[in-house]
Each structure stands twice: as structure tokens, then as C-alpha cells.
Amino acid sequence: DAKTTQPTSMDCAEGRAANLPCNHSTISGNEYVYWYRQIHSQGPQYIIHGLKNNETNEMASLIITEDRKSSTLILPHATLRDTAVYYCIVRPYNAGNMLTFGGGTRLMVKP
Amino acid sequence: DAEITQSPRHKITETGRQVTLACHQTWNHNNMFWYRQDLGHGLRLIHYSYGVQDTNKGEVSDGYSVSRSNTEDLPLTLESAASSQTSVYFCASSEDSGSRRNEQFFGPGTRLTVL
């Protein structure tokens, strides 16, 4: 069974905020939410992660609902270079660094 | 700067041949991983290692093997290549399991075609 559910694709206008949703309704108390992205033909790149508090770094913000059953990755000012596949991954704290990738969301940023 | 490299970047081989894909990282990470990615799909874990002499099977390990003789390298071997193994292969490394960030650093990938 998939641990996360994401829309297959999304569009966003350049300069606008991109909001990428992820459902993880079966998440356990010790599981973190991670986001990676994969720009065409490249290896995936870490973006951000969180447990229950909202997080922000130089790349993005992560908003996790209070019940932790869903989250949203926010790219505040999307650029054409943000066009990529975005993966939402749920990972137990003691999982030995394992990552299980689903299908992800293909974000297309348009001029 | 520390990095993770893969070679070759592109490889064409024939069914039944043995193929080895190289992965080398200079992060001094104990953890290393091999994934495959088929067209239009996410990454699937093949094998992983938590340190020298340690190897473990992942989700899709049949037909693949790895060995870890030093910290820097985790070569992936296809014992007898099959057309179903045509894919893009990514190597990754990360800090020890106790690291909460769990950021995996990925190589550029190897595109393997088995004819």
C-alpha cells in the first residue's frame, strides 16, 4: 500500500507560489515527512523535512496539518528551474535512512 | 568539494553479459544505496550498505549484487543482464542512521540499455 498520495501533475505560473499537496493519512507518530525533487534526468535532491511543526529553509516551506495526515510543500516564488518531479516521502525515524519513492507530482512552471 | 560520481554515464550491453556500474563518493558516508528508475516511475531500491563489508537487499534485488570493500565505493553488478534491467541507475549516500536529517546525496545516474 502507498504511504503517500500526491497529484500526478500540477502547473504553476512563474513568480507565483507553488503549493504541492501530499496525503499521508496512515502516518505513524515516529514518522517524518520528507520532500525531494528530481529535475529532468538528474538524481533526486533533498528539499526539506518535518515531523509536526512547520519548517522553512532557503528552498521551501513545509506545512504539516495538526493531525499530520497531510502536508503541503510551498515554493514561494516558483521559477522555470523549479520544473521537476516532487516526491513526498514518509520515513520512520529509525528506518536506517531508507527512502521509499512513490510516483511524485510533476510540477510544470510556466512563463 | 565532496561529491558522488557514477560511471559509466551511458552503457549499452547485450543480454547475458555481466555488467558492473561504479559508484564513488567522497563524503565519507557510511551509508550507500543503489536505485533503479524506469521510465515514468519513481525510484526503487536495489541494494544498500551501512558500512564496509555490509550489504543488504532492497525491494528489487534479484539479478543484482553489490560489494563494499571500502567506504568510498559501492559497485553494482548485473550478473547476467536481461532486457528487463534496462533502466536508469542512481547511486546515493548519506550520513549514519542516527542523523535525523537523512539527506541522501544522489549521483548523476547511469543509463543502461540491455539489447
Side-chain angles (χ1 to χ4, degrees), chain B residues 3-17:
Chain B
E3 61 178 357
I4 181 165
T5 58
Q6 294 183 233
S7 62
R9 295 294 312 279
H10 302 272
K11 174 77 175 179
I12 300 175
T13 191
E14 296 177 343
T15 301
R17 292 192 179 262

Side-chain angles (χ1 to χ4, degrees), chain A residues 17-38:
Chain A
N19 297 284
L20 292 90
C22 180
N23 287 320
H24 30 80
S25 58
T26 61
I27 192 170
S28 300
N30 68 339
E31 291 182 318
Y32 288 80
V33 180
Y34 281 78
W35 283 84
Y36 279 72
R37 74 178 182 183
Q38 185 175 24

Side-chain angles (χ1 to χ4, degrees), chain A residues 32 34 36 38 41-44 46 49 87 91 93 95-99 101-102, chain B residues 31 33 37 42-43 45 48 50 90 94-97 100-104 106-107:
Chain A
Y32 288 80
Y34 281 78
Y36 279 72
Q38 185 175 24
S41 299
Q42 299 180 19
Y46 167 88
H49 78 284
Y87 296 100
R91 173 219 167 210
Y93 176 78
N97 279 323
M98 306 301 294
L99 293 175
F101 289 83
Chain B
N31 303 329
F33 307 84
Q37 184 173 33
L43 283 74
L45 184 64
Y48 58 100
Y50 289 148
F90 289 100
S94 72
E95 293 178 336
D96 287 342
S97 300
R100 188 175 75 88
R101 178 161 165 144
N102 186 43
E103 177 177 357
Q104 288 193 15
F106 284 80

Side-chain angles (χ1 to χ4, degrees), chain B residues 98-115:
Chain B
S99 168
R100 188 175 75 88
R101 178 161 165 144
N102 186 43
E103 177 177 357
Q104 288 193 15
F105 295 87
F106 284 80
T110 294
R111 185 175 297 276
L112 177 68
T113 301
V114 183
L115 301 176

Side-chain angles (χ1 to χ4, degrees), chain B residues 75-109:
Chain B
L76 176 71
T77 298
L78 286 69
E79 304 294 343
S80 177
S83 58
S84 60
Q85 294 177 307
T86 292
S87 189
V88 180
Y89 291 85
F90 289 100
C91 179
S93 71
S94 72
E95 293 178 336
D96 287 342
S97 300
S99 168
R100 188 175 75 88
R101 178 161 165 144
N102 186 43
E103 177 177 357
Q104 288 193 15
F105 295 87
F106 284 80

Side-chain angles (χ1 to χ4, degrees), chain A residues 34-89:
Chain A
Y34 281 78
W35 283 84
Y36 279 72
R37 74 178 182 183
Q38 185 175 24
I39 296 172
H40 180 63
S41 299
Q42 299 180 19
Q45 174 191 24
Y46 167 88
I47 301 173
I48 199 168
H49 78 284
L51 181 62
K52 55 183 179 181
N53 298 319
N54 298 338
E55 303 285 345
T56 296
N57 63 20
E58 67 279 3
M59 291 182 68
S61 294
L62 174 60
I63 308 298
I64 302 174
T65 58
E66 189 169 346
D67 64 7
R68 303 209 323 123
K69 293 185 177 183
S70 66
S71 61
T72 301
L73 178 74
I74 301 172
L75 308 178
H77 304 286
T79 70
L80 299 179
R81 289 175 294 180
D82 291 322
T83 292
V85 177
Y86 288 77
Y87 296 100
C88 171
I89 299 168

Side-chain angles (χ1 to χ4, degrees), chain B residues 46-58:
Chain B
I46 304 172
H47 281 284
Y48 58 100
S49 168
Y50 289 148
V52 176
Q53 301 302 328
D54 176 75
T55 60
N56 305 279
K57 294 181 179 181

